[in-house]
Amino acid sequence: MARGALAFQHQRRRWISLCLLLFFFVHVDVARCFYLPGVAPQDFQLGNELKVKVNKLTSTKTQLPYSYYSLPYCLPEKIVDSAENLGEVLRGDRIENSPYVFKMREPQMCNVLCRVTLDAKTAKAFKEKIDDEYRVNMILDNLPLVVPIRRPDQENSIVYQHGFHVGLRGQYAGSKEEKHFIHNHLTFTVKIHKDPVTELSRIVGFEVRPFSIRHVYDGQWNEKTRLKTCDPHAKALVTNSETPQEVEDKKEIIFTYDVNFEESDVKWASRWDTYLLMADDQIHWFSIVNSLMIVLFLSGMVAMIMLRTLYRDISKYNQLETQEEAQEETGWKLVHGDVFRPPSNPDLLCVYAGTGVQFFGMIVVTMMFAVLGFLSPSNRGGLMTAMLLLWVFMGLFAGYFAARLYKMFKGAEWKKIALKTAFFFPATVFAIFFVLNALIWGQKSSGAVPFGTMFALVFLWFGISVPLVFVGSYVGFRKPAIEDPVKTNKIPRQIPEQAWYMNPAFSILIGGILPFGAVFIELFFILTSIWLQQFYYIFGFLFIVFLILIVTCAEITIVLCYFQLCSEDYLWWWRSYLTSGSSALYLFLYAAFYFFTKLEITKPVSGMLYFGYMLIASYAFFVLTGTIGFYACFWFTRLIYSSVKID
């Protein structure tokens, strides 16, 4: 018996040891292989080919992206589109191969790419892009091309600008006539981090210095022609002192490039730090933190005042009941028989509340993924793709909450409310988006959403979102109706005349100021990332700001709702939604201010695009903040009226 027990223990130890050993190997293997999707490092040996890809041409003046080959640049043997996700297509990205050929750690000097002779049409195209300050974007090993620029106000400080300008305008010495010059020579610098043991290299930087140079050569042009202005045999490097290449009809342009490799101490995991820490100094961070602290302080003060006042009210009302004092009821208790009377247009309120929950869920989950690093800027289009897919799947919660509220209002047709929830907000946004997309199509921009992508969006809407909304509505309607804490009188009570400061329009507009104040500094960074083509990466701060926004919307709505009920006005349903939702008006006004002070948009179409997209953003912000305020007020009124004794 003892021998059997010992054998069993020995066998058990062997199994435990084996399991621990397997766990160790699996753990090590997983630790070695775990990388975020699409951003795994790639090692290169000496002489390995490096594939340079070209992306869209962008301009902050027009906000209309164009494909790289919309201009007569040098073509590869065959243009191949890289696989693009939904977010990249919607952003206007058009990633294609290029004729640029690099080889790892093999410097190249004065490589001739091609020779192009302009005609009137191509010269005009180049001039228009130069006038509108278009920039050329390229990608190497998932890193975007940047131009390093030294800051004149700080020593040893460099700012990185995305892409290089197509060209520039200038004048010859002694002439007043302005000419257009093209950047036809590129000096690339590929920064690498080399492993001293394996001699393998990883790319950690991709920089360029563009030059405009009118190349000179002897005789007739052929493949073996040697340039005088850029000759690797004579070690003749291109400098800014050379004669620039003018853009005119029948002008000949020779495109050339250099490639240099520079070893860097930056490791692969930190290679994006240079791109993300661009022009944001400590002042920007301090201003964000300072604003958040002010909003937190204000919110704390409001919460403290409300809790003390409410506690005193409830104690007084309950004390009057116990002492059986025959005094007339005053304040918010007086309207207990009307406070839960269904509002006007209850269906629309249910739709907006359900859509707001859909937005809320989408933003919370998206921010959680972004904070964890799954939606970093290195994953192009990942943020927009995630938001679209989450919006679609959150339709389940939209239908559920809309149906629950609808049933509380004694509604009986759950299919009708599900249909309105599934179509009201998306149809409005889609109509605006379709008009804006038609304008972009008219400009022949790559930012126009192709027919196939438009079909995919419609499929996501009708094929997934709409059925999920119906499923959510069905489940929500099957649940028991939410019961009111007090009974509603059959005859509505007359609302007394209100003071001027309790006027609905005035209180609604005042209520939107504080939520907007919680986000307007962060809003500057968001607008800059969208309209000035900069990366947005401070998702941790954005998540904190979002939490502050939730608290602020809830508290300001509760405070104003309390004052409204104390003045015997029981029509709080819609006002609670509009109070915090009015912050969207200030958002749109700030967007207009940003347009006229920070952007240099001159084309009418570009202006229409800006205000059209900001209208969609403001509308979405209205639905989100309005829903937060509404549900906060809904919880508050049910809490206070269930806390007092009603005869």
Side-chain angles (χ1 to χ4, degrees), residues 276-572:
L276 300 182
L277 302 174
M278 291 201 172
D280 300 334
D281 291 331
Q282 292 181 355
I283 296 174
H284 295 284
W285 294 99
F286 176 76
S287 63
I288 293 173
V289 175
N290 189 44
S291 296
L292 294 179
M293 294 304 294
I294 292 172
V295 173
L296 274 172
F297 175 74
L298 288 173
S299 301
M301 291 294 293
V302 168
M304 186 178 67
I305 293 169
M306 287 300 302
L307 287 173
R308 291 188 62 183
T309 307
L310 267 176
Y311 180 77
R312 188 171 63 247
D313 284 351
I314 292 171
S315 299
K316 184 182 74 173
Y317 290 148
N318 287 336
Q319 195 174 17
L320 290 175
E321 291 293 335
T322 56
Q323 295 179 359
E324 297 180 356
E325 296 181 1
Q327 297 182 6
E328 186 180 353
E329 293 176 346
T330 56
W332 52 267
K333 187 183 177 185
L334 187 62
V335 295
H336 67 82
D338 298 277
V339 74
F340 292 106
R341 189 180 302 281
S344 58
N345 295 322
D347 289 13
L348 187 60
L349 182 62
C350 295
V351 168
Y352 271 127
T355 305
V357 170
Q358 188 176 6
F359 256 114
F360 185 81
M362 176 196 75
I363 291 175
V364 168
V365 177
T366 302
M367 283 193 184
M368 288 175 63
F369 277 107
V371 169
L372 292 172
F374 286 97
L375 299 175
S376 67
S378 60
N379 186 10
R380 284 182 306 275
L383 183 65
M384 187 172 290
T385 304
M387 290 178 72
L388 275 172
L389 293 178
L390 284 170
W391 163 265
V392 167
F393 289 109
M394 287 294 167
L396 187 71
F397 297 97
Y400 178 84
F401 280 88
R404 291 281 285 156
L405 198 62
Y406 178 70
K407 191 171 184 178
M408 193 189 77
F409 291 149
K410 306 295 187 294
E413 301 177 10
W414 69 271
K415 293 179 182 177
K416 182 179 74 172
I417 205 68
L419 197 65
K420 289 182 178 179
T421 306
F423 284 94
F424 190 84
F425 179 84
T428 306
V429 171
F430 190 80
I432 300 172
F433 177 74
F434 189 81
V435 172
L436 296 177
N437 196 57
L439 291 174
I440 301 173
W441 266 113
Q443 298 294 312
K444 299 179 181 178
S445 167
S446 65
V449 178
F451 176 78
T453 307
M454 193 73 78
F455 178 79
L457 291 174
V458 173
F459 173 77
L460 286 174
W461 179 13
F462 283 86
I464 302 176
S465 181
V466 173
L468 285 176
V469 171
F470 271 85
V471 171
S473 298
Y474 175 76
V475 174
F477 200 77
R478 288 286 298 270
K479 292 273 186 179
I482 302 171
E483 294 184 3
D484 298 331
V486 291
K487 292 182 179 180
T488 302
N489 297 332
K490 292 182 179 180
I491 302 174
R493 181 185 182 85
Q494 187 174 358
I495 299 172
E497 188 176 349
Q498 301 293 304
W500 65 271
Y501 53 84
M502 290 306 297
N503 181 274
F506 180 78
S507 63
I508 285 170
L509 290 175
I510 290 296
I513 293 176
L514 197 57
F516 172 75
V519 299
F520 89 97
I521 290 181
E522 199 68 16
L523 189 65
F524 173 81
F525 290 96
I526 295 172
L527 290 178
T528 300
S529 69
I530 294 172
W531 300 108
L532 295 181
Q533 277 97 41
Q534 295 183 11
F535 289 117
Y536 187 88
Y537 61 95
I538 44 178
F539 292 108
F541 268 99
L542 185 62
F543 190 68
I544 295 172
V545 169
F546 182 64
L547 294 178
I548 297 297
L549 176 67
I550 295 171
V551 174
T552 311
C553 285
E555 288 186 346
I556 193 65
T557 310
I558 288 172
V559 169
L560 293 177
C561 181
Y562 173 74
F563 291 151
Q564 180 187 351
L565 294 175
C566 285
S567 63
E568 300 177 17
D569 183 357
Y570 54 83
L571 301 177
W572 63 272

